[in-house]
C-alpha cells in the first residue's frame, strides 16, 4: 500500500470513528460500563465508592504484602481522575484486586479496541448470566425467572471461588489486565478479592440490566443483549432489549447507581477480608435479598409498564441494535454511508492489525481513534458547590454527611466549604458565605477555558442540620438568589429551602414493631444523644403492636457507665433492648455476651450500627437508617437545579430504611455448621415483602405526622 493510500485509509477510518461515535450507535454492552477509551468508568467508580464506605469493616492485616509493584500504576490511573488517594499498601492491593475482578467479565483479558473479540465475548450465550442478562433460550415469563436464577448462580459461584481461593496456601496470583493504550499485561492480585470483584460485577450489573421494583430491592424483568444485537429479538418473547442509557452512571441514573453501591458496600462489609467466613446460607440469603425475582414479576409486563416501575422509561431508551441495522426492532437502520464506512474500516484494520505498543502507522491510527473517542466519552460528573459545616447538636448526622461528601460519587463532583474557624458560630459563617458568594458573582465550572469564556454555572447548595442551623438560616432571611438549600430536620420557614426528613423516626418505628413481635413483656430503649426521633418512632412502633416500653434511658456516651446502665436494665427484668449510639451498643454487646444471650435467645436490636457491631450473634436484628440515600436524592436534584420553591418531604421509608433480621446467627465460627440445609435461611433474612411494605407505609405516615 502506498504512502498516499495509507494516509487516505487513515483519514477514512478516523472519519468513520467520529461519525460512529457521534451518531449514537450502540457499542458493545458492558452493563454499568468499565473504563475504556470508549466507555465511562462506572464499575470502577462504584467499586471505589463502596470500598471507601466499607473499608472499616475490612481486616487489612489479613491481606498479604504484594511481591510486585506494577499494579500500583493502575490504582493511580483510576484514583487520580477522581481526586482521591489511597496510601496504605494493603488497601491499594485489595482495591486493585477488586478492580481487576470487577473489570474481568467485560474484558476477559481483551482490549476494547479489539472489537471483534469483545463483541463475541458479549454475545456468547454462556456468558450472559455473568452480566445479569437473558440467554437466547430464556423466553417468556419462565425465561425471565431462569435469567434471575442464572444471575444468582453466577454471583454465588464467584463468592465460592473467593472462599476457595482464601483457603489456598498462596493467595497471590497473576491476572490479565488491559489498558487500551498499552495492551494486555499480567499483574499481581490477591485471589480472594479478585473473585469477590467478579461477584461485585454481577451484583452491580443486576441494577443496570434489569427493571426493578420502585425500592430497587427485587427484580421484575431481565433485559436481553445477545438477541438484540443479533437482530432476532422479539420483546414479547425474549424480553426488552438491553439499554445503553441504563448502563451509564450519570445523574439520570443516579438512584440505581447509588443502590448498586449500597449493595456492594453490604457485600464488602459481610466478607471483610475473609470471604471464607461466609456460610453457604448467608451467601444464599444475601443473594435472595438483592438478586430475587419479585413475586409479581410474571404479571408485570411492558403492557402494564412493569407494574408501574419508575425505572422502565430509562430502560426503553437507546435500545441495543445490530450494528448493520438488521433488526426486528423498531429502530432506524444505518445509512448506506454508515455501512460503507463500517466495512471499509473493518477491511482496513483487519489488514493492518492494531499494535498499539509499536508506534507504526497502524498503531498511530488506533491511538488517534482512541484519543478522539476519549474526548467525547469522559466520565460524566456534574460539579456542584456544597456549603456545609458541622452542627453542634447533630454530631452523628454531621459525621454521616462528612463521610458522604468525602467519598467519590459516581455522578457529582462536590466542592465542600467549611467554617473558617472552629469557634465561629453558624450565623457568622452563613453571613460570610453569602457575602463572599455575592462578591464572587456566579461560580464557574472548573473547566473554564483559557479564553475566559463562561462555562456552565456550578449550582450552590447549602446543607443545614438541626434546629440551631435552621433558626440561623431563618434569621438570615433564608437564601439569596442563585442558592439552593436542603435542611435535614424539622420544617423551617424558608420557601426556597427543601426539607429532607432523615429516616430516624421511621427506622425507630420498624424497630419498635420488630421488638413487639419478638418480646412478650419488658422492652427497654437506650438512646444516644440527639436520637429523640428514633425514640419517638420506637414508641410508635411498640404501640402499633399494643405494647409500651418498660423504660427509656439516655446513653451516658461512656462505655463503663453504659455497661452499668444496660446491666441494670436486664436486672430489672428487661427482655429486649433497643439500642442506638455506638457507646451504648458496644456496652450492650459486652453485657449480652457476659450473660450468655446468644443465637435464638438474643435480646438486642440495634439502630444504625456499624456493620461490625450489627452482625454479632448477640444481636437479634438491626435497622439501618439511610441518610446517605436521602442526601444522594436531594443533591442529585440540586445538581440538576430541580429543587422547586417550597419544602419537599423526601420519603423517610421508601428505600431509605432497611431492616436486617439476623436471629442472632450471622457469626457461626464457634458453633456447628448446620446451615447447609437449602431450606433453612434463617441466618440472614428479610421480613415477608407484603408485611414490610405495609409497615413502611405506616412508618412513613407516622414520620410525616410527627412534623405536622
Amino acid at each position: 500500500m502506498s504512502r498516499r493510500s495509507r494516509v487516505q485509509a487513515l483519514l477514512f477510518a478516523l472519519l468513520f470513528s467520529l461519525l460512529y461515535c457521534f451518531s449514537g450507535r450502540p457499542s458493545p454492552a458492558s452493563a454499568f460500563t468499565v473504563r475504556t477509551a470508549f466507555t465511562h468508568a462506572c464499575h470502577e467508580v462504584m467499586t471505589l465508592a463502596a470500598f471507601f464506605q466499607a473499608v472499616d469493616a475490612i481486616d487489612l492485616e489479613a491481606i498479604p504484602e504484594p511481591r510486585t509493584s506494577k499494579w500500583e500504576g493502575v490504582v493511580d490511573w483510576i484514583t487520580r481522575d477522581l481526586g482521591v488517594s489511597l496510601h496504605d499498601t494493603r488497601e491499594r492491593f485489595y482495591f486493585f484486586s477488586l478492580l481487576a475482578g470487577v473489570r474481568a467479565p467485560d474484558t476477559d483479558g481483551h482490549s476494547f479496541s479489539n472489537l471483534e473479540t469483545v463483541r463475541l465475548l458479549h454475545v456468547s450465550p454462556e456468558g450472559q448470566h455473568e452480566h445479569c442478562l437473558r440467554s437466547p433460550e430464556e423466553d417468556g415469563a419462565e425465561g425471565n425467572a431462569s435469567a434471575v436464577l442464572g444471575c444468582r448462580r453466577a454471583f454465588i459461584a464467584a463468592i465460592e471461588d473467593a472462599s476457595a481461593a482464601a483457603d489456598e496456601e498462596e493467595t497471590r496470583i497473576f491476572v490479565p489486565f488491559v489498558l487500551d493504550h498499552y495492551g494486555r499485561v499480567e499483574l499481581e492480585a490477591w485471589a480472594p478479592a479478585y473473585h469477590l470483584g467478579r461477584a461485585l460485577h454481577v451484583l452491580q450489573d443486576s441494577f443496570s440490566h434489569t427493571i426493578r421494583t420502585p425500592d430497587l430491592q427485587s427484580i421484575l424483568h431481565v433485559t436481553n443483549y445477545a438477541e438484540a444485537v443479533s437482530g432476532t429479538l422479539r420483546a414479547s418473547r425474549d424480553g426488552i432489549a438491553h439499554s445503553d442509557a441504563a448502563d451509564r452512571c450519570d445523574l439520570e441514573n443516579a438512584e440505581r447507581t447509588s443502590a448498586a453501591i449500597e449493595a456492594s458496600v453490604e457485600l464488602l462489609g459481610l466478607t471483610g477480608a475473609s470471604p471464607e467466613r461466609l456460610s453457604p446460607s448467608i451467601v444464599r440469603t444475601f443473594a435472595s435479598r438483592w438478586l430475587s425475582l419479585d413475586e409479581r414479576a410474571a404479571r408485570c409486563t411492558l403492557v402494564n409498564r412493569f407494574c408501574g416501575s419508575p425505572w422502565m422509561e430509562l430502560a426503553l431508551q437507546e435500545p441495543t441494535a445490530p450494528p448493520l441495522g438488521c433488526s426486528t426492532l423498531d429502530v432506524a437502520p444505518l445509512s448506506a454511508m454508515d455501512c460503507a464506512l463500517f466495512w471499509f474500516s473493518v477491511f482496513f484494520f483487519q489488514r493492518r492489525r492494531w499494535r498499539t505498543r509499536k508506534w507504526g502507522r497502524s498503531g498511530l491510527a488506533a491511538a488517534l481513534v482512541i484519543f478522539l473517542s476519549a474526548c467525547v466519552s469522559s466520565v460524566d460528573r456534574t460539579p456542584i458547590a456544597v456549603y456545609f459545616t458541622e452542627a453542634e447538636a447533630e454530631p452523628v448526622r454531621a459525621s454521616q454527611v462528612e463521610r458522604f461528601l468525602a467519598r467519590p460519587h459516581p455522578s457529582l463532583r462536590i466542592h465542600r466549604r467549611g467554617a473558617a474557624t472552629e469557634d465561629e458560630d453558624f450565623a457568622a459563617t452563613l453571613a460570610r458565605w453569602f457575602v463572599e458568594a455575592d462578591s464572587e458573582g456566579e461560580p464557574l465550572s472548573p473547566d473554564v477555558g483559557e479564553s475566559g469564556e463562561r462555562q456552565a454555572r456550578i449550582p450552590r447548595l447549602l446543607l443545614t442540620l438541626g434546629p440551631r442551623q435552621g433558626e440561623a438560616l431563618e434569621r438570615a432571611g433564608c437564601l439569596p438568589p442563585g442558592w439552593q438549600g436542603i435542611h435535614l430536620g424539622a420544617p423551617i420557614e424558608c420557601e426556597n429551602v427543601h426539607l429532607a426528613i432523615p429516616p430516624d423516626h421511621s427506622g425507630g418505628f420498624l424497630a419498635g414493631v420488630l421488638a413487639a413481635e419478638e418480646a412478650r413483656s419488658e422492652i427497654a430503649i437506650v438512646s444516644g444523644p440527639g436520637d429523640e426521633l428514633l425514640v419517638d418512632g420506637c414508641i410508635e412502633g411498640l404501640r402499633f403492636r399494643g405494647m409500651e416500653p418498660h423504660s427509656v434511658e439516655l446513653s451516658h456516651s461512656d462505655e463503663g457507665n453504659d455497661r452499668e446502665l444496660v446491666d441494670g436494665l436486664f436486672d430489672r427484668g428487661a427482655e429486649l433492648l433497643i439500642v442506638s449510639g455506638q457507646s451504648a451498643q458496644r456496652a450492650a454487646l459486652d453485657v449480652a455476651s457476659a450473660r450468655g444471650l446468644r443465637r435464638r435467645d438474643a435480646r438486642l436490636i440495634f439502630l444504625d450500627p456499624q456493620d461490625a457491631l450489627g452482625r454479632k450473634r448477640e444481636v437479634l436484628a438491626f435497622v439501618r437508617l439511610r441518610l446517605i440515600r436521602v442526601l444522594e436524592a436531594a443533591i442529585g436534584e440540586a445538581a440538576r437545579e430541580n429543587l422547586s420553591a417550597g419544602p419537599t418531604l423526601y420519603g423517610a421509608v421508601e428505600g431509605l430504611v432497611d431492616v436486617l433480621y439476623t436471629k442472632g446467627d450471622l457469626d457461626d465460627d464457634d458453633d456447628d455448621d448446620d446451615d447447609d440445609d437449602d431450606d433453612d435461611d434463617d441466618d440472614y433474612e428479610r421480613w415477608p415483602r407484603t408485611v414490610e411494605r405495609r409497615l413502611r407505609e405506616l412508618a412513613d405516615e407516622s414520620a410525616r405526622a410527627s412534623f405536622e
Side-chain angles (χ1 to χ4, degrees):
M1 183 182 288
S2 68
R3 180 188 180 111
R4 180 178 179 182
S5 298
R6 290 194 191 100
V7 172
Q8 289 174 336
L10 172 60
L11 292 175
F12 240 72
L14 291 176
L15 177 60
F16 159 72
S17 300
L18 287 174
L19 288 174
Y20 196 74
C21 288
F22 283 108
S23 68
R25 302 299 180 191
S27 57
S30 53
F32 277 128
T33 50
V34 296
R35 178 178 176 178
T36 71
F38 301 96
T39 52
H40 303 308
C42 291
H43 276 296
E44 292 89 344
V45 174
M46 290 190 294
T47 301
L48 182 59
F51 173 74
F52 265 66
Q53 290 190 59
V55 69
D56 290 342
I58 297 172
D59 180 13
L60 296 174
E61 295 300 319
I63 302 168
E65 287 280 350
R67 296 166 297 187
T68 61
S69 60
K70 288 184 178 179
W71 55 269
E72 297 212 51
V74 175
V75 178
D76 294 335
W77 173 64
I78 292 296
T79 57
R80 187 185 304 115
D81 284 351
L82 299 175
V84 297
S85 58
L86 296 171
H87 301 292
D88 182 88
T89 300
R90 284 189 170 96
E91 275 189 4
R92 291 169 63 84
F93 191 42
Y94 181 83
F95 172 64
F96 167 75
S97 303
L98 283 178
L99 184 69
V102 86
R103 286 172 56 91
D106 278 347
T107 63
D108 198 25
H110 301 290
S111 168
F112 259 69
S113 60
N114 187 350
L115 297 179
E116 180 180 359
T117 304
V118 173
R119 182 184 180 279
L120 290 175
L121 172 69
H122 282 249
V123 300
S124 167
E126 296 77 20
Q128 299 305 298
H129 292 158
E130 287 190 15
H131 306 280
C132 230
L133 288 161
R134 289 185 190 229
S135 290
E137 70 278 4
E138 290 175 330
D139 299 336
E142 296 79 8
N144 194 48
S146 174
V148 174
L149 183 60
C151 180
R152 287 174 52 142
R153 285 174 175 163
F155 171 81
I156 291 173
I159 295 292
E160 289 174 346
D161 288 344
S163 179
D167 289 334
E168 295 291 333
E169 184 175 345
E170 177 54 70
T171 58
R172 291 164 294 190
I173 60 175
F174 282 85
V175 299
F177 197 93
V178 171
L179 297 175
D180 284 302
H181 62 281
Y182 190 74
R184 170 180 167 141
V185 292
E186 297 285 325
L187 297 176
E188 186 181 18
W190 188 52
Y194 172 77
H195 292 294
L196 185 58
R198 296 187 73 106
L200 281 176
H201 187 104
V202 180
L203 184 63
Q204 292 168 3
D205 277 7
S206 75
F207 290 88
S208 64
H209 285 167
T210 68
I211 295 178
R212 286 179 170 258
T213 52
D215 62 3
L216 293 167
Q217 293 297 307
S218 57
I219 297 170
L220 292 168
H221 186 81
V222 182
T223 63
N224 191 317
Y225 177 78
E227 290 177 285
V229 80
S230 65
T232 61
L233 183 139
R234 282 213 324 261
S236 59
R237 177 193 65 193
D238 305 315
I240 65 172
H242 162 275
S243 163
D244 291 347
D247 278 354
R248 291 194 287 267
C249 50
D250 53 15
L251 280 176
E252 189 176 6
N253 209 15
E255 289 180 270
R256 292 203 297 183
T257 305
S258 297
I261 293 173
E262 183 183 312
S264 302
V265 171
E266 186 172 323
L267 180 61
L268 294 182
L270 261 179
T271 56
S274 304
E276 75 278 8
R277 79 186 188 187
L278 294 181
S279 70
S281 177
I282 293 174
V283 175
R284 285 195 306 272
T285 48
F286 177 90
S288 296
R289 169 169 153 65
W290 289 106
L291 300 172
S292 65
L293 187 69
D294 192 82
E295 58 193 13
R296 302 167 296 164
R299 305 190 302 273
C300 298
T301 65
L302 190 58
V303 175
N304 60 21
R305 302 180 64 83
F306 298 106
C307 299
S309 173
W311 319 115
M312 187 199 76
E313 183 177 349
L314 186 65
L316 293 179
Q317 295 177 19
E318 300 179 36
T320 294
L324 298 183
C326 305
S327 171
T328 59
L329 293 172
D330 184 21
V331 294
L334 294 177
S335 66
M337 179 61 72
D338 287 335
C339 293
L341 288 171
F342 175 82
W343 283 113
F344 183 87
S345 297
V346 169
F347 174 76
F348 174 77
F349 287 119
Q350 186 69 24
R351 291 196 59 189
R352 310 292 292 178
R353 297 275 182 187
W354 294 7
R355 303 189 185 279
T356 55
R357 280 174 288 181
K358 296 180 181 179
W359 286 92
R361 291 186 179 88
S362 57
L364 177 60
L368 287 173
V369 170
I370 291 171
F371 171 77
L372 290 170
S373 300
C375 291
V376 298
S377 62
S378 57
V379 177
D380 275 334
R381 285 184 292 153
T382 302
I384 179 170
V386 177
Y387 292 74
F388 163 78
T389 184
E390 285 195 17
E392 184 179 334
E394 302 277 340
V396 175
R397 245 179 232 166
S399 66
Q400 288 179 299
V401 176
E402 283 277 359
R403 192 161 63 247
F404 169 75
L405 295 179
R407 71 181 178 85
H409 191 280
S411 56
L412 302 175
R413 184 184 303 144
I414 297 175
H415 300 272
R416 175 181 166 261
R417 295 281 297 273
T421 61
E422 292 184 1
D423 58 351
E424 180 181 47
D425 65 27
F426 186 69
T429 299
L430 203 58
R432 176 172 53 82
W433 281 344
F434 290 163
V435 169
E436 288 179 0
D438 186 58
S439 63
E440 292 169 0
E442 283 194 339
L444 299 182
S445 163
D447 303 321
V448 175
E450 293 182 3
S451 64
E453 294 182 3
R454 298 183 72 82
Q455 304 295 314
R457 183 174 61 84
I458 301 176
R460 287 195 187 100
L461 177 69
L462 175 68
L463 283 178
T464 49
L465 297 175
R468 294 185 182 178
Q469 290 194 356
E471 292 168 3
L473 184 57
E474 285 180 313
R475 289 195 301 271
C478 300
L479 292 173
W483 284 73
Q484 302 172 88
I486 298 173
H487 179 65
L488 302 176
I492 59 176
E493 296 297 325
C494 286
E495 289 190 358
N496 56 352
V497 175
H498 269 214
L499 170 67
I501 299 180
D504 309 45
H505 188 283
S506 298
F509 180 93
L510 293 176
V513 173
L514 177 59
E517 292 290 319
E518 292 292 331
R520 292 291 175 262
S521 56
E522 307 296 346
I523 298 173
I525 300 172
V526 180
S527 69
D531 284 344
E532 294 84 0
L533 284 176
L534 277 171
V535 173
D536 291 344
C538 285
I539 295 173
E540 289 290 330
L542 288 169
R543 288 174 178 169
F544 178 71
R545 284 289 191 260
M547 298 192 69
E548 291 284 343
H550 175 59
S551 63
V552 179
E553 304 290 342
L554 183 65
S555 164
H556 299 290
S557 299
D558 175 88
E559 284 191 43
N561 292 332
D562 282 341
R563 202 173 290 113
E564 293 180 10
L565 172 63
V566 172
D567 223 4
L569 290 171
F570 278 125
D571 284 339
R572 295 199 298 272
E575 282 190 354
L576 184 147
L577 300 185
I578 304 174
V579 187
S580 72
Q582 300 299 316
S583 169
Q585 287 172 357
R586 284 191 292 264
L589 275 173
D590 289 346
V591 174
S593 179
R595 286 176 173 263
L597 300 177
R598 305 170 75 86
R599 298 183 69 82
R600 298 292 194 270
D601 295 324
R603 287 293 180 265
L604 296 174
I605 292 178
F606 280 178
L607 295 167
D608 205 20
Q610 295 175 350
D611 274 358
L613 296 179
R615 299 181 188 278
K616 297 293 185 179
R617 71 181 66 187
E618 293 85 356
V619 180
L620 170 69
F622 69 91
V623 179
R624 292 188 308 194
L625 313 176
R626 312 259 185 91
L627 176 59
I628 285 178
R629 287 284 292 277
V630 176
L631 287 170
E632 285 174 335
I635 289 181
E637 287 193 19
R640 292 188 296 264
E641 299 192 88
N642 285 342
L643 286 176
S644 57
T648 296
L649 300 180
Y650 289 90
V653 171
E654 186 62 40
L656 303 178
V657 177
D658 189 20
V659 178
L660 298 183
Y661 184 27
T662 68
K663 292 196 174 178
D665 246 354
L666 272 178
D667 186 356
D668 55 2
D669 291 341
D670 301 327
D671 297 289
D672 295 333
D673 188 8
D674 59 358
D675 53 10
D676 288 336
D677 184 355
D678 288 348
D679 296 324
D680 183 12
D681 283 343
D682 283 346
D683 291 2
Y684 177 49
E685 66 182 16
R686 294 177 65 83
W687 292 8
R689 295 187 183 278
T690 52
V691 174
E692 184 176 341
R693 193 174 295 120
R694 177 56 184 152
L695 288 176
R696 287 175 181 271
E697 291 171 357
L698 290 168
D700 198 38
E701 293 172 9
S702 178
R704 291 174 187 271
S706 68
F707 290 102
E708 293 177 353

